[in-house]
Amino acid sequence: MENQLSIYNSLNRTKEKFEPIHENHVGMYVCGPTVYSDVHLGNCRTFVSFDVIYRYLLSKGFKVRYVRNITDVGHLEGDTDIGAEDKIGKKARLEQLEPMEIVQRYSNGFHAMMRVFNTLEPSIEPRATGHIIEQIEMVQSILDRGYGYEKNGSVYFDTIGFAKKEAVYGKLSGRVIDDLLVETRTDLKHQSEKNHPSDFAIWIKADPSHLMRWNSPWSVGFPGWHLECSAMSTKYLGKNFDIHGGGNDLKFPHHENEIAQNYGACGCAPAKYWLHTNMLLMNGKKMSKSDGNSITPAQLFTGDSEHISKAYSPMMIRFFMLQSHYRSTLDLTDESLLAAEKAYRRLMEANGHLQNFKHSGGAATDEAYEERIIGLIELMYLNMDDDFNTPRVLATMFELVPEINKIQSKAVDLHSISAATLERFQASFKEFIYDILGLVDEAAEGANANEALDGLMELIIDLRQHSRANKDWATSDKIRDGLQALKIQLKDGKEGTTWSKE
Ligand code: AMP
Ligand code: ZN
């Protein structure tokens, strides 16, 4: 099929025809989680969005290398670049664990959650701590090209020098060099080591209490958070690659600084297309743990939250996420979940009917009717080609659902459409539901449902282990009692915890 895909490019703030750098190949880098706490639903929304994008690129026949990193060092409290504690280091200090134990625990939890949401694994999942050498080399290249300076063992990126020469600093986030220059005069005195307040650390000298540190030409220290993504995307996708993604909260400073670093190190733009997902809200407000306006994925699956009236299945939540466009905010409310659940069942039920239809060939078709059906099938692909517009895809599918139901109830004769059109109809629905949208028919597909259950149990066992490690006995008892009520037994053994169902 001809490639008609267009993508909204945050860098240019326009929708552009997607033309990969190397024909038929796509390199895509997505900023992964910082593994210092349980993955939250907002993160899941972003990763589900990129999963659908990945799946659609695959379905169009592209050979995709999808790189999604794990941030396990350098991401500081308050998302600042220097002077604050490392998020993972802090958790390790509080729990008296090795930082890598924290990283392993929350990476496991993240992977279990990604399986529960039926996302495909990325092609490469690099960790920042595994790429310290590459990061040191990149800092050196930035210094060699005159875009960095060292002060007291830390290395900073010279944003003003860079912005004057390359004129790309601020392009993604819309900051202009004049703003940065004004800030120079007003804020400089507050930033003792930096030449300019907008400069950011790319290598940070560690104080002796810092748990994660490495030798470098400048100090025993650790790399800056922004640097890891520049170094790992370059290593696995090259100096120029196709797509870079993440949540829109990462546009500034994280992505802006990534672009600066790549230019700074090699004089080239990293990604051709920048894609940003929008944030998850609950009841119209930003989902936030601190003011109680938050819900965990586990609470959604068990129904154990004041914000919802019942439990919702992971596939239902995935469907719910796909009902809004990745660039729009997604507002989670109980009513919208209830409505989505009904719609999800209606779609799955209709698909079950559709896949069972058997055409006996021959017979005269109703030309106008057939044309309408073909038009809607083609529209599903056109909608997806239009910046991965999943809500419009679903709306089109819901125009087809009543037609399936009419054929099912014999209000319309199946032979109003040709055998070839029926085949196309069946194949497109299958492709969209399972391969592109990544949904699983929980009711109809016992095997898949069991797989989801395995993933869920892995997650629940993981949550129980966390609560026990935190001495949160109330939660661990609640999990055990809740499972017992469902006739699920947990067995703790040397090799870990296993489960069985009566
Ligand atoms: P973090 O673990 O905070 O580094 O975030 C991992 C990914 O999740 C990033 O791409 C973030 O932009 C994204 N993200 C964080 N919070 C939300 C949210 N509330 N809604 C959607 N995406 C989010
Ligand atoms: Zn990143």
Side-chain angles (χ1 to χ4, degrees), residues 99 133 166 245 300 371 373-374 403 498:
I133 290 170
E166 298 278 358
L300 270 175
E371 238 171 62
I373 300 290
I374 292 174
E403 303 311 321
T498 54

Side-chain angles (χ1 to χ4, degrees), residues 30-47 49-50 69 71 75 79 87 110 225 245-251 254-255 276-281 286-288 326 330:
V30 172
C31 291
T34 307
V35 282
Y36 69 104
S37 67
D38 290 322
V39 59
H40 66 70
L41 208 60
N43 303 140
C44 295
R45 192 230 175 163
T46 285
F47 298 126
S49 298
F50 283 106
N69 71 296
T71 296
H75 196 170
D79 295 346
K87 292 185 186 202
F110 168 65
W225 169 40
N248 66 9
D249 57 331
L250 297 186
K251 253 191 211 170
H254 186 58
H255 290 162
H276 288 100
T277 54
N278 214 322
M279 295 289 107
L280 176 73
L281 310 176
K286 188 171 191 282
M287 201 179 267
S288 148
Y326 76 87
L330 170 63

Side-chain angles (χ1 to χ4, degrees), residues 86-110:
D86 185 294
K87 292 185 186 202
I88 288 159
K90 181 179 175 186
K91 186 84 171 182
R93 178 175 60 77
L94 293 174
E95 300 211 5
Q96 295 188 316
L97 292 171
E98 274 293 320
M100 279 306 119
E101 282 182 283
I102 298 294
V103 166
Q104 192 66 54
R105 177 200 285 176
Y106 293 110
S107 299
N108 290 349
F110 168 65

Side-chain angles (χ1 to χ4, degrees), residues 206-339:
D207 64 48
S209 67
H210 204 92
L211 294 169
M212 287 183 282
R213 51 215 169 102
W214 293 263
N215 278 324
S216 80
W218 315 286
S219 62
V220 175
F222 58 96
W225 169 40
H226 314 308
L227 193 73
E228 63 172 271
C229 290
S230 286
M232 294 188 287
S233 61
T234 305
K235 173 159 176 132
Y236 296 111
L237 298 172
K239 288 176 179 170
N240 298 109
F241 55 93
D242 299 295
I243 296 177
H244 193 311
N248 66 9
D249 57 331
L250 297 186
K251 253 191 211 170
F252 191 87
H254 186 58
H255 290 162
E256 193 71 85
N257 291 350
E258 256 190 81
I259 294 174
Q261 291 163 160
N262 283 67
Y263 265 102
C266 76
C268 43
K272 190 170 172 190
Y273 304 90
W274 284 81
L275 270 67
H276 288 100
T277 54
N278 214 322
M279 295 289 107
L280 176 73
L281 310 176
M282 187 158 76
N283 298 319
K285 287 187 294 181
K286 188 171 191 282
M287 201 179 267
S288 148
K289 265 191 215 164
S290 51
D291 62 13
N293 192 44
S294 112
I295 189 165
T296 65
Q299 283 174 316
L300 270 175
F301 305 153
T302 58
D304 179 21
S305 159
E306 54 172 334
H307 298 294
I308 49 173
S309 58
K310 62 182 287 297
Y312 297 97
S313 75
M315 279 309 100
M316 208 309 279
I317 302 295
R318 184 172 168 115
F319 174 85
F320 169 72
M321 289 175 174
L322 301 179
Q323 279 185 318
S324 42
H325 189 254
Y326 76 87
R327 280 192 291 121
S328 311
T329 51
L330 170 63
D331 190 15
L332 187 138
T333 66
D334 194 46
E335 293 93 82
S336 57
L337 288 173
L338 286 168

